[in-house]
Amino acid sequence: MSGRSPGPPGNEGGPDAGEEAGPGRSWPSRRGRGRRRAPDCSSLRWEPQLVTSVWASGDLGISAMNEAEGLRQRRPVRAQVVTEDNQAQEAKQGSTYSSRVFQMTFMMLAASLTIPLLGAITLLNCPIDPQPLSFKEPPFLLGVLRPNVKLQQAEKLFENQLIGPESIANIGDALFTGTADGRVVKLENGEVITIARLGKGPCKTREDEPTCGRPLGIRVGPNGTLFVLDAYQGIFEVDPSTGRVKHLLSSQIPIEGKKMSFVNDLTITQDGRKIYFTDSSSKWQRRDFLLLVMEGTDDGRLLEYDTVTREVKVLMEGLRFPNGVQLSPAEDFVLVAETTMARIRRFYVSGLMKGGADMFVENMPGFPDNIRPSSSGGYWVAMSTVRHNPGFSMMDFLAEKPWIKRLIFKLLSPETVLKFVPRYSLVLELGDNGAYRRSLHDPNGLVAAHISEVHEQDGYLYLGSFRSPFLCKLNLELL
C-alpha cells in the first residue's frame, strides 16, 4: 500500500486530536514538503496482518523521523584545543577559589581571636581614669628651636657608678646628687662617695622604692648644708661633711586634708628660711609617674615650708604634674613646671603681685622637668619628652582620646609603654621673660638621654638624668 494508513487513536503519525481525515481532505506532511490527499478508505477491509504491518511501518517511520530530527538538532562536537590562555584561565579560577578559601579561613580565625580579646579587654581593669586634655599645636622646631646635635658633644661621667642622678648641686668643685638606690652622694676627684642614705634597703626593685627612698631635688643652703627632697619621705637637711641627716618635713603628714604622695623638687631663699616645693600628686607615687602623666590628674600643688615656724602653706593647687621649681633672682616669684600641660607657670611670693599667678611660658616644644638658673640671668629647662612639629607627638595624639589610653594600659604595663617614648633629648635656655634663647638637642639620645636637669657651673653644663647610669658634662664654649 503506497499511502500511509491512519493509525489508531493517539498515534503520533495521525492528524491532530479530534480531527478526522475524510475523502478528498489533506493535512501537512511531517516534513512539510507538500500536501497529500487522504485516500478513500471506505471500501478497505481491515486485516490483522495488514494492521500489524501498517503499525510496524508507522513505528519505523516515526523512529526514522526522530533520528532525523535529533541529527538536525544535534550540534557537532568540536575537539578542544588546549592553549596557554585556557591554562591561565583555569589557573585563575583555581587561584580565585583558593583566595576565597583563605579569606574565609582568615575571617573565621580573626573572629575567633577578636571576640575573646574584646571580652578580655572589657573585663580587664584599667589602672587610670584618663581625663581629656586640650593642647595647642606644638611650636615648629625652627629658628632657635631648630634641631641640632650639640648635646652629643657632652662627655659621660661616672658611667655605671651611679643610677638616676636626677638633680645636681655643687659646693666648690664637689658635685652632689641623689641616686635611684636612695643615696645622697658626693662626686669629687673621679670618686663617688656616699654621704647619706635617706631610706633603708633593699633597693633592688620598683616595689622597694618607697622604703628605699628616692632623692630628687637637691639644693645648697646658706650654711653649706644640703636640702634634699625625697619623693616618698619629705624634706631633709644633710650635712655633707658629717653625713648627719635631719628630717624637716614628713610627707606622711596631710596638708590641708591631702596627703603628699609624690614630693618632687624644691627651691630655697637665700636666707634659708623659706622652701618652696612641689607635690606632684596626692594619688600617684613617683614610681607611677607615667600613670600620672597619662591620666592627666590635676591634684598637684605648690607649697611653702617655713623652716623657722615649721608651717606649711598651699600656694597653688589643681596643677597637672607640677615638677621643677625655681625662685627668681629677686625672689619675687617662683616658676613651676607643669609637666603634663607642657608649660611653666609663675606664682608671685612678694611685691605688689604677691599671691597672684600667671603664665610664664605655654605651649612648649616638650614637657618640662626641672628648672635651674643660667649665668645669663635666664633659666635652663630640661625637657623630659619632645613634641615634634613637624612630626608625630604621641602625647598630643592621645590627649583627647581617653579611650585609647584606657586600652593601652589595660594591655600593657607602664614599663612597656616607656619603651615607645622617643629618646629625643632637648634642653632649652629661656630669657628672664620666658623667651627662647637657644636649644640643645640630641635627636636620638645617643649621648645625653632622659635629661631631668641642667646645672651650670664655671662654664660647664652638668646634665642630670632620672634613668641613665651616668651624668653628662658639656663645655659651653663648644656651643
Side-chain angles (χ1 to χ4, degrees):
M1 187 174 180
S2 60
R4 188 174 179 183
S5 302
N11 190 308
E12 291 181 7
D16 295 337
E19 185 178 1
E20 193 175 318
R25 292 193 61 181
S26 64
W27 61 85
S29 69
R30 183 172 295 273
R31 293 183 182 269
R33 294 180 180 175
R35 299 175 65 88
R36 260 195 284 183
R37 274 191 150 337
D40 188 1
C41 300
S42 57
S43 60
L44 295 180
R45 290 178 298 177
W46 290 95
E47 296 181 2
Q49 293 84 356
L50 181 60
V51 173
T52 302
S53 175
V54 172
W55 284 355
S57 70
D59 288 343
L60 289 174
I62 292 171
S63 175
M65 292 178 66
N66 286 343
E67 289 180 4
E69 188 74 16
L71 289 174
R72 187 181 60 175
Q73 294 179 357
R74 189 177 301 159
R75 295 180 181 178
V77 178
R78 297 180 181 178
Q80 184 176 357
V81 180
V82 179
T83 64
E84 292 183 359
D85 292 339
N86 292 340
Q87 293 177 349
Q89 184 69 19
E90 292 178 358
K92 183 177 180 181
Q93 293 175 354
S95 175
T96 302
Y97 176 76
S98 300
S99 298
R100 290 177 180 175
V101 171
F102 174 77
Q103 291 175 2
M104 290 298 296
T105 304
F106 178 79
M107 291 175 63
M108 292 176 65
L109 179 61
S112 64
L113 294 177
T114 302
I115 294 175
L117 180 61
L118 291 176
I121 291 174
T122 304
L123 296 175
L124 287 174
N125 291 325
C126 180
I128 61 174
D129 181 21
Q131 306 301 314
L133 304 175
S134 179
F135 289 106
K136 296 180 180 178
E137 180 184 4
F140 286 99
L141 297 182
L142 301 172
V144 296
L145 298 177
R146 185 179 299 277
N148 54 63
V149 293
K150 293 180 179 179
L151 287 177
Q152 293 183 5
Q153 302 178 53
E155 61 173 314
K156 297 179 181 180
L157 304 179
F158 308 101
E159 190 168 7
N160 296 323
Q161 298 181 55
L162 71 175
I163 300 176
E166 164 90 11
S167 181
I168 304 167
N170 75 282
I171 301 176
D173 293 332
L175 299 177
F176 298 88
T177 187
T179 60
D181 56 0
R183 295 181 298 153
V184 178
V185 299
K186 178 181 179 180
L187 309 176
E188 189 175 28
N189 299 324
E191 296 184 5
V192 179
I193 305 168
T194 301
I195 63 174
R197 184 178 289 278
L198 303 181
K200 56 183 179 180
C203 301
K204 298 180 179 180
T205 66
R206 175 180 177 275
E207 286 68 29
D208 296 331
E209 194 171 282
T211 55
C212 174
R214 182 58 170 102
L216 297 179
I218 185 170
R219 302 280 185 162
V220 177
N223 300 323
T225 58
L226 302 173
F227 289 88
V228 183
L229 202 71
D230 185 280
Y232 299 91
Q233 303 181 65
I235 303 176
F236 293 84
E237 184 178 7
V238 179
D239 188 329
S241 58
T242 65
R244 184 181 64 88
V245 176
K246 182 180 180 182
H247 201 173
L248 300 180
L249 176 66
S250 172
S251 59
Q252 304 302 315
I253 301 174
I255 305 299
E256 296 188 4
K258 287 186 177 181
K259 61 181 180 179
M260 296 183 290
S261 297
F262 181 4
V263 288
N264 197 323
D265 193 24
L266 78 168
T267 184
I268 187 171
T269 57
Q270 294 180 11
D271 61 7
R273 176 165 181 173
K274 298 288 184 67
I275 298 175
Y276 301 98
F277 68 99
T278 50
D279 175 29
S280 297
S281 177
S282 61
K283 176 181 179 181
W284 299 106
Q285 295 181 324
R286 195 220 73 90
R287 57 181 175 171
D288 299 318
F289 72 91
L290 183 60
L291 300 180
L292 169 60
V293 173
M294 298 301 286
E295 185 175 68
T297 314
D298 61 349
D299 60 347
R301 296 179 292 179
L302 171 67
L303 303 101
E304 174 191 281
Y305 174 71
D306 191 314
T307 58
V308 175
T309 65
R310 295 194 160 190
E311 293 179 347
V312 181
K313 295 179 181 178
V314 177
L315 303 181
M316 298 180 72
E317 56 186 346
L319 302 176
R320 299 182 190 273
F321 198 170
N323 200 332
V325 288
Q326 177 60 47
L327 192 62
S328 68
E331 299 189 350
D332 56 340
F333 61 81
V334 176
L335 298 179
V336 184
E338 195 174 7
T339 300
T340 301
M341 300 307 297
R343 63 192 182 190
I344 297 176
R345 302 183 70 173
R346 174 168 50 190
F347 183 85
Y348 294 89
V349 294
S350 66
L352 297 176
M353 297 285 291
K354 183 177 180 179
D358 60 12
M359 200 67 65
F360 187 67
V361 187
E362 62 179 336
N363 196 34
M364 301 182 75
F367 299 91
D369 202 329
N370 284 354
I371 308 170
R372 293 298 183 265
S374 71
S375 58
S376 63
Y379 305 93
W380 292 107
V381 183
M383 311 302 288
S384 59
T385 310
V386 176
R387 303 169 65 205
H388 293 281
N389 192 11
F392 174 76
S393 171
M394 182 178 69
M395 292 295 295
D396 287 77
F397 172 75
L398 295 175
E400 297 184 357
K401 302 175 180 64
W403 65 274
I404 298 183
K405 293 182 182 180
R406 289 191 184 93
L407 180 61
I408 290 174
F409 283 94
K410 278 187 175 185
L411 301 176
L412 303 176
S413 67
E415 291 76 15
T416 302
V417 175
L418 274 176
K419 295 178 181 179
F420 293 94
V421 177
R423 288 172 58 90
Y424 197 113
S425 297
L426 174 63
V427 167
L428 300 177
E429 184 181 12
L430 305 179
D432 57 1
N433 60 352
Y436 300 120
R437 285 186 175 173
R438 58 177 159 176
S439 63
L440 313 176
H441 302 244
D442 185 350
N444 299 310
L446 297 178
V447 178
H450 310 296
I451 299 175
S452 56
E453 182 178 298
V454 181
H455 176 78
E456 183 177 352
Q457 178 194 355
D458 298 334
Y460 290 90
L461 297 181
Y462 293 89
L463 311 176
S465 172
F466 65 94
R467 293 186 66 185
S468 298
F470 54 82
L471 58 82
C472 289
K473 179 181 179 181
L474 180 61
N475 189 341
L476 282 172
E477 293 183 356
L478 299 178
L479 307 179

